[in-house]
Amino acid sequence: MKRVSIDPITRIEGHLKIELDIDSDRVKSARSSGTLFRGLEEMLRGRDPRDAQRVTQRVCGVCPAAHAIASAQALDDAYGIRGEVPPNGRLERNLMLGGNFIHSHVLHFYHLSALDYLNPHDLEDLQLEDVKIRDLQSYLKSSDGAPFTPEYSGDYRLGNEISAALAGDYLDALEVRKKAHQMVSIFGGKMPHNMGTISGGATRRPDIDSITKFTSRLEEIKEFIEDRYLPGVIEVAKTYKDYFKIGKGVSNFLEYGGFYLKRFEGSHHNTSKGLEGGIAVEGESSVREVELDRITEAIEHSWYDAEARGHPTATRSVPAVDKEGGYSWVKAPRYKGKPHEVGPAARMKINYLKGNDLVERELGTAMEKAGIGIDQLNSVMGRHLCRAVECKCIVNMMEGWVEDLVPGDPSCARYEVPEEGKGVGLASAPRGTLGHWIKIENGQISNYQLVVPTTWNASPRDEQGTPGPMEQALMGEEIDDPDNPLEAARIVRSFDPCMACAVH
Ligand code: NFE
Ligand code: MG
């Protein structure tokens, strides 16, 4: 048995350590460890509830719009104004979140993952027309390759032509990310950490200027997503088809759903959403409803005190630094006691099975082009493919939302801030499904708990000793060279882990 430690695993957000026990070239056991304590939930206690939207966005610079919406909706719920958010406020929230999704998915594929498959050094001696790529070539020749040097490299299979196209897209993706950030800031004031999402709706009344600026960027981005990102992912997926069999995690997928299409209608579940929620269990063709009271967090192997165990309405996140058996600052969220994978693969599969027309069409086409079936989404390439398909679906929906804005109409409800209350805010975030739970007493936050996408995926073992989704995706897989565990890096990165979020 050989123990391999990847610490930190690079090109993700935050600090993640992966420990593997490898025997006869196979992973016998895997441990995922968040190595940083942050304590934002504890910091929120005693603050003005309206600070939640500001503070919780600081959990992360990559998905702040998701935290903004979850916290604003938790406040809407606690204040009893969920149904009063005007259409402009609802649409602007969707548009800011959509901009954040585009940025995050494009960042992940090109700047965090593509170098697992594309070796920029292959390009050094090619005769290429593209000026930007020629610049990249001369840069690579004059430097030690940073920031393109992958730590775990090899098994490069893409031909020169695809590699050159992807390298060009890698550079153009930087510009796309900038435009996506600008889109969020048109309604949010700035990005990351927008100021525009507040309880009651959003701060900026849309006008012709903001709508035009938003639309022009959306159309440019759309071209990139449809003509380059999605086809690029399909090309990589076809070349690495074996990775549709590698990295299969748990057999349960979870999503609450997000992007409200109508005014809030009594419950999150009943309100129609651009991407619907549910539970998809492998081998079943129907999707089950999520029962929120069945969510718990285990902490037997996390460095937290016993108070942190249970449902997010009844826990605190008190650290227990030297706890025996602990190996992570990430808690272990479970649904009905079982680990569930969250993220684009879960969301796309759930929406496909529920008959969401847009997802059915786009995912169906992409699966056909990649030559796979629905069960293969639970894999390294399945996750990449679903992320790109989801990006295309969201851009498509955003075109409708921006058209529905009514210039000059209010974007926020008027309300009184009550002294007491409790609420939940649920949202889709780029890496999966997100929940915020708030309790207000004497005008202050008395408790605030977040259960975050990467907390689900990168969770450690629970009280039964059941490993988390990413741990299970690693277990049983072949590692050709334990000194260069590139298969493990590819599996982990396919989840797009964000450890800043996971530990919060
Ligand atoms: Ni820091 Fe996040 C997303 C949220 S993930 S990126 O997407 O919420 O855990
Ligand atoms: Mg939490």
Side-chain angles (χ1 to χ4, degrees):
M1 187 85 77
K2 185 175 170 109
R3 174 154 298 185
V4 172
S5 177
I6 313 180
D7 180 18
I9 184 158
T10 54
R11 297 205 315 268
I12 63 160
E13 299 94 10
H15 297 71
L16 170 66
K17 172 164 102 173
I18 293 290
E19 255 180 4
L20 306 171
D21 289 332
I22 299 175
D23 193 15
S24 317
D25 293 342
R26 293 231 171 241
V27 178
K28 286 282 172 281
S29 169
R31 303 208 306 176
S32 149
S33 173
T35 60
L36 182 80
F37 175 70
R38 298 186 66 210
L40 271 105
E41 290 156 329
E42 287 298 297
M43 283 180 223
L44 280 158
R45 294 165 67 88
R47 289 182 182 270
D48 187 310
R50 289 164 296 183
D51 286 354
Q53 192 274 123
R54 306 277 167 270
V55 175
T56 59
Q57 284 197 74
R58 268 70 189 173
V59 163
C60 184
V62 187
C63 66
H67 288 288
I69 286 175
S71 59
Q73 287 184 175
L75 285 177
D76 293 346
D77 192 18
Y79 294 169
I81 55 164
R82 297 202 75 167
E84 288 165 41
V85 174
N88 275 346
R90 172 177 58 75
L91 292 163
E92 286 185 7
R93 285 180 180 182
N94 286 353
L95 290 168
M96 286 188 268
L97 184 60
N100 196 171
F101 262 74
I102 297 169
H103 174 270
S104 183
H105 285 0
V106 168
L107 158 74
H108 179 257
F109 181 66
Y110 290 101
H111 304 128
L112 302 180
S113 293
L115 298 177
D116 287 347
Y117 308 95
L118 159 76
N119 183 4
H121 293 280
D122 284 349
L123 304 172
E124 280 176 30
D125 298 315
L126 288 181
Q127 294 301 314
L128 293 165
E129 299 298 317
D130 190 314
V131 176
K132 284 195 300 280
I133 301 188
R134 282 215 306 271
D135 286 350
L136 177 64
Q137 285 175 320
S138 47
Y139 174 80
L140 286 167
K141 280 188 176 148
S142 66
S143 72
D144 63 359
F148 301 103
T149 317
E151 227 178 295
Y152 302 101
S153 57
D155 184 30
Y156 295 121
R157 306 180 207 165
L158 301 168
N160 287 341
E161 207 177 310
I162 298 175
S163 296
L166 272 183
D169 295 348
Y170 179 106
L171 297 173
D172 291 344
L174 294 165
E175 193 61 31
V176 170
R177 286 172 53 195
K178 185 171 95 184
K179 290 196 180 113
H181 263 14
Q182 287 170 345
M183 288 200 304
V184 184
S185 60
I186 287 167
F187 296 116
K190 69 188 187 67
M191 176 69 192
H193 309 142
N194 77 73
M195 307 300 281
T197 312
I198 53 168
S199 48
T203 53
R204 179 169 184 173
R205 277 185 197 224
D207 53 18
I208 297 301
D209 183 50
S210 53
I211 293 172
T212 316
K213 280 182 175 148
F214 197 96
T215 310
S216 67
R217 283 167 181 79
L218 184 60
E219 290 314 306
E220 285 174 48
I221 284 175
K222 180 184 174 179
E223 211 175 290
F224 182 86
I225 305 296
E226 292 187 353
D227 299 346
R228 292 159 71 188
Y229 175 29
L230 182 54
V233 173
I234 291 172
E235 222 32 78
V236 173
K238 278 169 32 187
T239 312
Y240 286 88
K241 206 161 176 197
D242 45 333
Y243 274 85
F244 279 112
K245 293 206 178 82
I246 297 172
K248 179 173 157 51
V250 296
S251 43
N252 301 316
F253 282 169
L254 166 82
E255 167 66 36
Y256 309 135
F259 298 103
Y260 285 165
L261 298 181
K262 296 230 170 77
R263 238 177 234 279
F264 183 75
E265 288 161 82
S267 79
H268 179 83
H269 176 71
N270 288 340
T271 307
S272 63
K273 298 175 282 294
L275 296 174
E276 285 294 346
I279 308 273
V281 178
E282 197 150 294
E284 291 183 9
S285 57
S286 60
V287 172
R288 302 178 193 184
E289 199 178 311
V290 182
E291 298 164 48
L292 287 180
D293 57 351
R294 301 301 299 276
I295 294 166
T296 51
E297 291 187 291
I299 45 88
E300 282 66 20
H301 297 280
S302 312
W303 289 303
Y304 293 95
D305 188 84
E307 279 180 272
R309 182 197 295 119
H311 189 268
T313 51
T315 54
R316 277 191 60 183
S317 300
V318 181
V321 180
D322 295 320
K323 184 170 146 183
E324 204 174 324
Y327 66 91
S328 183
W329 285 110
V330 179
K331 293 186 195 171
R334 296 292 185 260
Y335 179 74
K336 297 190 176 175
K338 288 188 185 154
H340 282 62
E341 176 171 333
V342 299
R347 210 154 27 217
M348 290 298 98
K349 180 172 176 176
I350 288 164
N351 279 273
Y352 184 87
L353 293 179
K354 282 185 110 169
N356 175 325
D357 289 344
L358 177 62
V359 173
E360 228 172 7
R361 186 180 75 225
E362 295 302 338
L363 182 61
T365 309
M367 288 196 300
E368 199 179 310
K369 284 187 181 160
I372 58 146
I374 192 97
D375 286 338
Q376 284 158 285
L377 299 181
N378 188 350
S379 64
V380 168
M381 276 306 146
R383 295 183 191 103
H384 286 297
L385 186 67
C386 286
R387 209 168 274 118
V389 169
E390 175 169 89
C391 206
K392 184 173 177 191
C393 293
I394 287 173
V395 167
N396 182 301
M397 290 190 285
M398 287 169 79
E399 290 183 301
W401 297 330
V402 75
E403 258 183 43
D404 289 344
L405 289 169
V406 180
D409 271 12
S411 54
C412 194
R414 290 188 181 279
Y415 56 91
E416 300 292 327
V417 177
E419 286 289 294
E420 318 281 325
K422 60 184 170 58
V424 57
L426 306 171
S428 295
R431 282 156 198 75
T433 204
L434 173 67
H436 285 198
W437 282 262
I438 190 171
K439 188 166 184 205
I440 303 166
E441 288 175 297
N442 304 317
Q444 295 182 339
I445 297 174
S446 61
N447 200 14
Y448 202 105
Q449 291 293 319
L450 301 88
V451 182
V452 183
T454 303
T455 318
W456 286 95
N457 287 340
S459 73
R461 282 156 177 71
D462 55 29
E463 70 269 36
Q464 333 280 355
T466 309
M470 209 157 80
E471 294 180 331
Q472 291 198 37
L474 287 158
M475 287 162 72
E477 292 300 351
E478 198 173 328
I479 306 289
D480 195 35
D481 173 8
D483 295 323
N484 178 37
L486 67 98
E487 300 90 342
R490 285 172 176 170
I491 292 168
V492 169
R493 290 200 191 103
S494 72
F495 285 89
D496 191 4
C498 171
M499 301 317 288
C501 270
V503 296
H504 53 274

